[in-house]
Amino acid sequence: MVSDPIAYILWDHQQQLGICRKIESLIDDLFHPGYRRTGSAVLDYLTRDMVDHFADEHDLFDMLIGHFADDDGFRSIFALLREEHAKDERLIAPVVRDLTALVEGNELATPLNFLMNALALIETHRRHIAWENATVVPFATTYLTKEDIERLAHRMTARREGRAPVPNVAQPALD
């Protein structure tokens, strides 16, 4: 059970920064003996955990917007964050395609495309995380009600039902 959804989102941001570092290590040496294992871990995260994370945040955004329905400035922040998610999703698709090929032992037709997409994903995702940690998390800790937190925790837990237990996370230190 996700007991503290905001701490979990922050913890997940740390996991995503770790995935960015793993992608960088893959870029540095695609032919290192461990690249298939690392590539598989990255693929697993991008195709499952990242999808859950985006859904978690969209639930969070909707809850926060509900507190400021008439504030165009506030709504524009979340519209921009949703655009950032869409950009990440557009970059994830070709990275997943190329990583899948590499993990399966296939050569890439255009390795430069993989490198460019992977670097763009890392750059946009790091910026996206920093922005969310600086804006969304303070909004959430200030404006969400106990009922909001419970509803968010329930939705996050349901999304992960049937998988490994959700880690009990404490508020992580931010990079």
Side-chain angles (χ1 to χ4, degrees):
M1 163 101 183
V2 173
S3 59
D4 183 344
I6 304 308
Y8 189 90
I9 287 171
L10 285 168
W11 173 82
D12 209 11
H13 283 170
Q14 294 302 311
Q15 302 311 301
Q16 291 167 32
L17 292 172
I19 291 297
C20 289
R21 288 188 295 274
K22 285 182 180 187
I23 294 171
E24 285 174 326
S25 75
L26 288 169
I27 290 170
D28 288 343
D29 192 357
L30 287 176
F31 304 104
H32 184 273
Y35 87 90
R36 283 189 178 163
R37 184 179 58 250
T38 300
S40 292
V42 170
L43 281 170
D44 186 50
Y45 193 89
L46 292 178
T47 58
R48 186 188 66 197
D49 298 315
M50 188 73 82
V51 172
D52 289 345
H53 179 77
F54 285 163
D56 296 341
E57 288 186 339
H58 286 267
D59 286 346
L60 174 59
F61 298 171
D62 290 343
M63 288 177 187
L64 286 169
I65 288 169
H67 289 281
F68 298 92
D70 296 330
D71 186 335
D72 287 337
F74 195 81
R75 283 199 323 259
S76 68
I77 289 171
F78 289 100
L80 191 52
L81 285 168
R82 287 181 197 276
E83 287 176 29
E84 286 284 314
H85 279 185
K87 183 184 291 185
D88 281 348
E89 289 170 355
R90 284 190 304 274
L91 289 167
I92 287 169
V95 169
V96 164
R97 181 193 64 235
D98 288 345
L99 268 179
T100 299
L102 290 170
V103 166
E104 291 174 353
N106 300 315
E107 290 188 23
L108 300 178
T110 51
L112 185 58
N113 284 350
F114 169 69
L115 297 174
M116 298 302 288
N117 288 325
L119 289 171
L121 175 62
I122 291 166
E123 178 187 336
T124 62
H125 205 66
R126 283 180 173 154
R127 182 183 66 241
H128 173 102
I129 289 170
W131 197 34
E132 285 180 349
N133 288 347
T135 59
V136 176
V137 171
F139 286 146
T141 58
T142 301
Y143 297 108
L144 290 183
T145 65
K146 181 180 178 194
E147 292 77 21
D148 291 333
I149 295 290
E150 288 171 358
R151 190 170 70 235
L152 183 59
H154 175 73
R155 292 183 66 116
M156 290 170 70
T157 299
R159 214 172 263 120
R160 291 157 178 84
E161 194 170 312
R163 288 195 260 155
V166 173
N168 184 10
V169 298
Q171 190 108 349
L174 300 179
D175 289 344

